[in-house]
Amino acid sequence: MEVDPFIFRFSIFILSIFVGYYVVWSVTPSLHTPLMSVTNAISSVIIVGAIIAALASSSNDIFEMSNIFGFLAIILAAINIFGGFLVTQRMLQMYKKKKKDKK
Amino acid sequence: MISSNLSAIFYLISGILFILALRGLSSPETSRQGNFFGILGMIIAISVTFLTVGNFSSAMNYVLLFLVIGGAIGAFIAFKIPMTAMPELVAGFHSLVGLAAVFVAISAFLNPQAFNLGSTGNIKLASLIEMSIGAAVGAITFSGSIIAFLKLRGIMSGSPITFMGQHFLNLILGIFIIVLIYFLCKTQSESFFWGMMLASFLIGVLLIIPIGGADMPVVISMLNSYSGWAAAGIGFTLENTALIITGALVGSSGAILSYIMCKGMNRSFFSVILGGFGGDTTVGKEKKKDQKPVKSGNAEDAAFLLKNASSVIIVPGYGMAVAQAQHALREMVDTLKKNDIKVSYAVHPVAGRMPGHMNVLLAEANVPYDEVFELDDINNDFANTDVAFVIGANDVTNPVAKTDPQSPIYGMPVLDVEKCKSVLFVKRSLSPGYAGVDNELFYRENTMMLFADAKKMTEDIVKNI
């Protein structure tokens, strides 16, 4: 019997949780705030769904209810993507080493 | 238009780039490269989606327009926001992810054909369940983050709001949501879908209002985790690998941060979630106040002590963020260093209102990150240090946590500030900290209280050195 594709996706999901677990434990505590803002930015990859929703055409009308929700989701996700990555960048730029002695 | 196999591979690549983005944060040196990987992953995911849909109709113009509008707003916020407002910014961003997940789910529910989920009124059962979970978690993330945002911003009081039967009500609502999802799957009726959304928004509000201000590090981390699970739920619906991987990453990241924060306060996750901790009704603080003598000093005394020390450890806390004293503090430290005094910083895991809050503020004030130490790395050094300069921190220095099993903060890991030869404590008053516990440190022989605004006091000390 063939395996349901859902099981494949579920496997990816579970493995990613493990990857996330080990990767996040290795994040240095002083970078926990940038970690939150960058996870914020990447979780906005949900924009993928928003784009599909916005471009879907069941009729000639591009402003059906489902499209409108897609457009709204694009705005929200775009705020997050740009805001999240840029603010992370801004924070990371501030982390500097001691000037004189190199450690 | 590109084939769905090819696009699946590109989504996988962007998922891997996101993993590398988080991996980069293991050290400040690699972090900027990591952020770049994240951006690259996002660009790939968005471009591939455009190519896969391949429908460059007039709707496309609107998509690009809204992308630019949202991007401009986001960029504007990112450049304008002061670093002290980072906790509320992150809470605000979480609410947007939640709401976006809700909107995508609504859209998929209204037009399932576009997502290959079946037809309206006849959506595949598995998709419907995934969609409902994504939408419900997204809604909880949204309304919960809004409350967290209002509390952090000070628009809403930080003290917990509790009422009789609160937890029971939440339980009922939770069960109600599951029942609604069940009927939604059975009947495919729109009204169950909207009902489920409404109940989820409501439970998000109810979950966060009983949680007090200083428990916010846990709340923000938890909402971070929720936003990840919401994205993963939508990822399953859309059968999109990038979303599933990202959702799982973000979900586990938030969960780990919540765990670290809870451990920093020695509280169980559930006691934080159930809330009601640290209200205004603190017993016993009144009578204790006047009993013991307190040594207080002014900026000159403090400057004298600091000048004659050979080593100083700075302990910053939320009060420093409120007073925006980080720049003045750095100036003070610079002056001390000129006098050949060794200075380092000690940061407690739950200092501030979000994980890593103090580190960002110190970095903003140009404090090199290798002078800032975590609790475990610096705690043994207090015994060999002349002066501890506590600025805006309180509970995290309270020795009661080590000695008094009756205390609500007993067992919480604290900084051993009292082991220093002398302790300077910048604080506005003798009031107890968030936990409502009197700080024994105030009455110690070697403690000098500096009653003033943190920023003003630090500036005055600089003048006097």
Side-chain angles (χ1 to χ4, degrees):
Chain A
M1 219 180 96
E2 223 177 299
V3 180
D4 191 315
F6 170 80
I7 301 300
F8 284 120
R9 285 192 287 276
F10 191 67
S11 316
I12 295 174
F13 178 65
I14 297 296
L15 289 174
S16 303
I17 291 179
F18 275 88
V19 172
Y21 180 86
Y22 288 107
V23 170
V24 173
W25 270 118
S26 74
V27 170
T28 162
S30 66
L31 290 176
H32 275 161
T33 299
L35 171 68
M36 299 201 85
S37 60
V38 85
T39 49
N40 226 311
I42 63 173
S43 58
S44 303
V45 72
I46 204 156
I47 198 169
V48 164
I51 293 172
I52 298 174
L55 289 179
S57 50
S58 48
S59 66
N60 285 327
D61 184 8
I62 57 163
F63 283 112
E64 295 224 351
M65 272 305 263
S66 65
N67 298 81
I68 290 173
F69 278 112
F71 288 133
L72 289 175
I74 287 178
I75 298 181
L76 297 178
I79 294 178
N80 242 325
I81 292 171
F82 282 77
F85 280 126
L86 290 173
V87 89
T88 309
Q89 192 68 22
R90 212 182 119 197
M91 275 192 271
L92 293 177
Q93 231 120 46
M94 300 185 314
Y95 283 82
K96 288 183 198 104
K97 263 196 159 183
K98 234 181 277 184
K99 274 170 215 149
K100 286 173 203 162
D101 49 329
K102 279 173 200 160
K103 238 196 231 171
Chain B
M1 206 151 165
I2 57 175
S3 82
S4 41
N5 284 339
L6 191 60
S7 61
I9 288 180
F10 277 115
Y11 283 134
L12 177 65
I13 293 174
S14 78
I16 290 168
L17 286 167
F18 291 151
I19 295 173
L20 293 176
L22 299 193
R23 176 77 194 128
L25 291 172
S26 56
S27 127
E29 280 130 82
T30 53
S31 60
R32 268 154 279 188
Q33 189 195 24
N35 200 36
F36 172 73
F37 282 139
I39 296 172
L40 191 66
M42 189 60 74
I43 293 172
I44 292 176
I46 294 176
S47 322
V48 169
T49 311
F50 280 136
L51 292 174
T52 316
V53 177
N55 166 13
F56 296 106
S57 65
S58 54
M60 187 69 185
N61 300 330
Y62 288 101
V63 169
L64 292 175
L65 176 71
F66 290 130
L67 202 62
V68 171
I69 292 176
I73 299 173
F76 179 78
I77 297 172
F79 285 118
K80 285 285 166 210
I81 192 95
M83 283 300 144
T84 37
M86 210 42 76
E88 47 273 40
L89 178 75
V90 168
F93 277 168
H94 286 155
S95 74
L96 298 184
V97 180
L99 196 59
V102 169
F103 285 167
V104 173
I106 293 176
S107 178
F109 182 76
L110 295 176
N111 186 8
Q113 289 94 335
F115 296 90
N116 286 324
L117 306 176
S119 55
T120 316
N122 190 20
I123 301 171
K124 279 184 284 184
L125 178 66
S127 310
L128 206 53
I129 296 174
E130 292 154 2
M131 189 192 299
S132 320
I133 294 174
V137 179
I140 294 171
T141 313
F142 170 70
S143 55
S145 302
I146 293 286
I147 300 296
F149 175 83
L150 293 176
K151 285 194 170 195
L152 287 165
R153 190 85 224 169
I155 299 170
M156 210 171 132
S157 152
S159 54
I161 300 168
T162 47
F163 53 86
M164 274 275 287
Q166 193 164 27
H167 304 314
F168 186 67
L169 178 66
N170 288 344
L171 184 71
I172 297 287
L173 262 176
I175 295 171
F176 185 58
I177 290 172
I178 296 170
V179 171
L180 282 175
I181 293 179
Y182 174 77
F183 280 108
L184 171 68
C185 295
K186 246 186 142 178
T187 63
Q188 306 250 351
S189 152
E190 237 182 79
S191 41
F192 287 117
F193 184 77
W194 297 120
M196 183 237 354
M197 300 283 356
L198 212 67
S200 305
F201 281 125
L202 188 63
I203 203 170
V205 174
L206 288 171
L207 277 176
I208 307 300
I209 52 169
I211 304 178
D215 277 339
M216 280 301 146
V218 182
V219 172
I220 298 194
S221 318
M222 186 182 81
L223 291 167
N224 185 236
S225 181
Y226 284 1
S227 70
W229 303 131
I234 302 295
F236 275 106
T237 321
L238 305 184
E239 310 186 343
N240 184 305
T241 338
L243 252 176
I244 295 175
I245 295 178
T246 317
L249 285 178
V250 177
S252 52
S253 159
I256 290 171
L257 289 177
S258 316
Y259 171 79
I260 296 175
M261 292 301 114
C262 286
K263 226 177 119 220
M265 295 192 284
N266 189 40
R267 310 206 15 225
S268 79
F269 185 68
F270 286 103
S271 82
V272 175
I273 296 310
L274 293 179
F277 191 70
D280 297 326
T281 50
T282 323
V283 273
K285 71 177 177 192
E286 287 301 322
K287 62 174 189 215
K288 261 188 178 175
K289 229 179 214 170
D290 306 354
Q291 283 176 357
K292 285 175 265 181
V294 174
K295 221 163 65 180
S296 77
N298 56 22
E300 269 169 62
D301 305 331
F304 179 79
L305 259 174
L306 286 168
K307 218 167 25 182
N308 290 304
S310 63
S311 54
V312 174
I313 297 181
I314 314 263
V315 181
Y318 182 58
M320 181 190 80
V322 175
Q324 306 248 21
Q326 65 271 29
H327 298 282
L329 181 68
R330 213 282 321 272
E331 226 174 284
M332 186 187 96
V333 170
D334 282 351
T335 324
L336 292 176
K337 277 196 205 149
K338 261 181 228 150
N339 294 332
D340 280 327
I341 299 166
K342 187 175 159 270
V343 186
S344 37
Y345 299 79
V347 174
H348 191 275
V350 293
R353 284 290 184 267
M354 76 182 295
H357 192 183
M358 290 301 121
N359 304 79
V360 172
L361 293 181
L362 292 174
E364 189 201 9
N366 278 320
V367 173
Y369 62 81
D370 37 11
E371 284 176 14
V372 185
F373 296 94
E374 302 300 321
L375 175 85
D376 292 336
D377 298 328
I378 201 164
N379 228 1
N380 292 329
D381 296 351
F382 281 108
N384 312 319
T385 302
D386 294 328
V387 179
F389 188 78
V390 182
I391 174 166
N394 186 0
D395 287 338
V396 298
T397 62
N398 197 341
V400 161
K402 287 175 288 190
T403 53
D404 180 11
Q406 304 294 319
S407 167
I409 59 169
Y410 181 69
M412 174 170 132
V414 286
L415 293 157
D416 298 333
V417 176
E418 78 279 3
K419 289 192 180 145
C420 281
K421 286 204 191 88
S422 43
V423 180
L424 291 170
F425 216 110
V426 184
K427 209 170 171 308
R428 267 182 297 205
S429 69
L430 269 186
S431 63
Y434 169 68
V437 189
D438 211 19
N439 195 341
E440 207 188 286
L441 206 56
F442 298 164
Y443 313 105
R444 292 262 173 135
E445 193 59 20
N446 59 347
T447 305
M448 185 193 282
M449 300 298 295
L450 305 167
F451 294 113
D453 174 73
K455 189 176 176 188
K456 204 175 159 301
M457 176 53 80
T458 319
E459 283 165 352
D460 287 349
I461 293 175
V462 175
K463 276 181 218 147
N464 280 295
I465 293 180

